Amino acid sequence: MKNRIGYIDMSKGLAIILVIIGHSSFVPNNAKLLLYSFHIPLFFFLSGFTLNVRKYETFSGYCLNKVKSLVLPFFLLNSFVFLFQLFVMYLIRF
């Protein structure tokens, strides 16, 4: 099992909860303005704080890993949603 820093993980969880709260419709605009000023930067800071640079031998290896784990699923999911909307939603309209 990997060594984890508990308070960092809890802080990232709190940042995720703040993102969800910030995108809720029941939050007043002043509170949203306050949340938007720090919740995403906090999450990015904490994610960068826990980055293990020894895990990847080169920067290109790091980039390739991120493309495989983030960019490829993003495009595959969006392609599926596009095709779903194109065929299913189109057929419902007519």
Side-chain angles (χ1 to χ4, degrees):
M1 183 171 188
K2 297 178 181 179
N3 293 335
R4 304 289 300 208
I5 304 171
Y7 65 90
I8 297 291
D9 288 339
M10 287 186 272
S11 300
K12 286 171 66 175
L14 177 65
I16 291 170
I17 291 170
L18 291 174
V19 169
I20 294 169
I21 290 172
H23 286 90
S24 299
S25 61
F26 63 85
V27 178
N29 286 335
N30 291 340
K32 282 186 180 185
L33 185 62
L34 177 67
L35 284 174
Y36 285 174
S37 68
F38 74 92
H39 70 290
I40 295 294
L42 173 66
F43 185 76
F44 275 99
F45 172 76
L46 293 171
S47 295
F49 188 73
T50 58
L51 176 66
N52 183 5
V53 293
R54 290 183 222 108
K55 184 178 176 181
Y56 307 100
E57 293 183 18
T58 62
F59 182 70
S60 61
Y62 171 78
C63 291
L64 184 61
N65 179 280
K66 293 303 171 187
V67 165
K68 286 180 185 176
S69 65
L70 296 173
V71 177
L72 186 61
F74 171 78
F75 282 111
L76 290 175
L77 180 63
N78 279 318
S79 298
F80 172 74
V81 169
F82 173 75
L83 291 173
F84 178 80
Q85 288 178 340
L86 182 68
F87 292 112
V88 175
M89 301 303 281
Y90 178 77
L91 293 175
I92 291 173
R93 287 176 70 190
F94 295 104

